[in-house]
Amino acid sequence: MRAAPLLESDPAAAAVHASRILAEFPDHAEARLLLASARRRLGDASAALAALEPLSNSQSDSAFLQLEMGRTYAASGMMTEALATYRRAVTQDPNLAEGWCELAACLFEKGETLEADRAFAKFVRLRPDPPELNDAKLAIVENRLDAAEAILRERLRQSPKDAVAMLRLAELAVQRENLVEAERYLSACLKIAPGYAAARYELARLLLELQRDPEVLLLTERLLAAEPGNLDYLSLKAHALRRIG
C-alpha cells in the first residue's frame, strides 16, 4: 500500500519496495504486478514481462493483470499481443475504464478507426471527470470565465494531455467568441484523443458556424460511423448538406 502510490512519482522507489516484499514473499501477486509496472515505467519492458510471466497462469482471470501485460507488450512494440491482451482485459471486466482507453489507443495505432472510436466512447462513459473539471464546467455555465480558465490551465499544467480540460477551454473560448482559439483547442484535443466524439462534435458545430461545410461533413461522417442514429450528428450533417445544396 505504501509502495503503490510511488508508481507515478518515483517508479524506481516503487520497484525497490516491491522487490523487498518479493524477497520475503516470492508468491505475492500484487507485489509482482507492482514490480512489473514500475519496471515498465522505467523503460525496461523485458524485465517487466519477466516479472509478469509467473502470474500468467495463476492470475489469468485478472483484468488488471491483462491490462498491465497489454501495456508491457505495447512498450515492447508487440502490438498484436497487446491488442489481444487489452481485449481480454475488457472482456473480463467491461467496466475497466483504463482497459478501454488502452484498447482504443492500440486500435488507432493499427488503423482500426471505427472500433477504436467505439472503445474510446466506452472509456469516456466509464471514467468520471476529476472534480476540478466539474468545477470549471460550472464556472463556465455561471459565466465566471476567468475562474474557469484558471482551473483549467492548472489542470493542464498537472496533466498536459487531459483531453477533457482542452475541451472545456474550447467551450470557454466559444463563450468569449474567440472561435480561432476554440478551433485550436479542439484540434489539439483530437490529436491527443482521436476517438473523443464530444470534441469532434463541438468542432463540427464550430465549423458549421464558420460555414466550412465540407469539413463538417467529414467530421459528421466519422461520428455517424460509430453512432448512426445520433440525432445531433444527423442534424449537423443535414444543415451542412442543405447549405451546399
Side-chain angles (χ1 to χ4, degrees), residues 205-223:
R205 287 181 62 195
L206 176 65
L207 295 180
L208 187 72
E209 187 172 343
L210 296 172
Q211 299 188 24
R212 289 159 58 182
D213 300 310
E215 294 172 76
V216 175
L217 291 175
L218 287 174
L219 292 167
T220 54
E221 285 298 328
R222 178 158 171 183
L223 289 167

Side-chain angles (χ1 to χ4, degrees), residues 103-173:
L103 175 59
C106 193
L107 287 165
F108 280 124
E109 186 156 333
K110 291 183 75 66
E112 299 181 32
T113 304
L114 178 57
E115 189 182 352
D117 282 349
R118 289 173 173 162
F120 195 83
K122 290 182 180 179
F123 164 66
V124 170
R125 286 195 292 271
L126 288 168
R127 185 199 66 172
D129 287 344
E132 58 265 36
L133 293 186
N134 290 326
D135 292 343
K137 185 175 183 179
L138 179 61
I140 292 172
V141 170
E142 294 176 347
N143 206 35
R144 295 184 287 114
L145 304 187
D146 290 342
E149 183 174 10
I151 294 169
L152 292 169
R153 292 202 179 281
E154 175 60 21
R155 175 66 185 175
L156 283 174
R157 188 186 68 78
Q158 296 176 3
S159 302
K161 293 188 176 182
D162 191 318
V164 179
M166 286 191 181
L167 176 59
R168 296 281 176 265
L169 278 172
E171 292 170 354
L172 179 63

Side-chain angles (χ1 to χ4, degrees), residues 12-232:
V16 170
H17 280 290
S19 297
R20 287 174 180 166
I21 295 168
L22 288 168
E24 190 169 353
F25 304 101
D27 297 326
H28 197 299
E30 290 82 359
R32 189 164 293 281
L33 191 57
L34 178 66
L35 177 62
S37 183
R39 285 177 171 168
R40 173 179 60 79
R41 289 165 188 259
L42 290 167
D44 194 346
S46 60
L49 278 175
L52 289 171
E53 282 173 357
L55 297 177
S56 58
N57 293 324
S58 62
Q59 302 281 325
S60 60
D61 59 346
S62 166
F64 285 106
L65 172 63
Q66 298 301 325
L67 176 60
E68 185 56 41
M69 287 190 73
R71 286 170 166 165
T72 306
Y73 282 136
S76 304
M78 302 165 66
M79 301 310 294
T80 300
E81 292 83 352
L83 182 57
T85 309
Y86 290 142
R87 284 185 168 136
R88 280 198 298 272
V90 297
T91 299
Q92 290 169 348
D93 183 359
N95 293 318
L96 185 62
E98 290 301 319
W100 288 109
C101 183
E102 298 289 7
L103 175 59
C106 193
L107 287 165
F108 280 124
E109 186 156 333
K110 291 183 75 66
E112 299 181 32
T113 304
L114 178 57
E115 189 182 352
D117 282 349
R118 289 173 173 162
F120 195 83
K122 290 182 180 179
F123 164 66
V124 170
R125 286 195 292 271
L126 288 168
R127 185 199 66 172
D129 287 344
E132 58 265 36
L133 293 186
N134 290 326
D135 292 343
K137 185 175 183 179
L138 179 61
I140 292 172
V141 170
E142 294 176 347
N143 206 35
R144 295 184 287 114
L145 304 187
D146 290 342
E149 183 174 10
I151 294 169
L152 292 169
R153 292 202 179 281
E154 175 60 21
R155 175 66 185 175
L156 283 174
R157 188 186 68 78
Q158 296 176 3
S159 302
K161 293 188 176 182
D162 191 318
V164 179
M166 286 191 181
L167 176 59
R168 296 281 176 265
L169 278 172
E171 292 170 354
L172 179 63
V174 168
Q175 197 148 331
R176 286 173 166 164
E177 299 184 353
N178 188 341
L179 302 188
V180 172
E181 186 171 271
E183 182 181 356
R184 181 169 63 82
Y185 278 123
L186 289 168
S187 298
C189 183
L190 287 170
K191 283 182 180 178
I192 291 170
Y196 197 6
R200 182 164 280 105
Y201 173 67
E202 291 301 327
L203 181 58
R205 287 181 62 195
L206 176 65
L207 295 180
L208 187 72
E209 187 172 343
L210 296 172
Q211 299 188 24
R212 289 159 58 182
D213 300 310
E215 294 172 76
V216 175
L217 291 175
L218 287 174
L219 292 167
T220 54
E221 285 298 328
R222 178 158 171 183
L223 289 167
L224 286 164
E227 291 186 65
N230 187 297
L231 297 181
D232 292 325

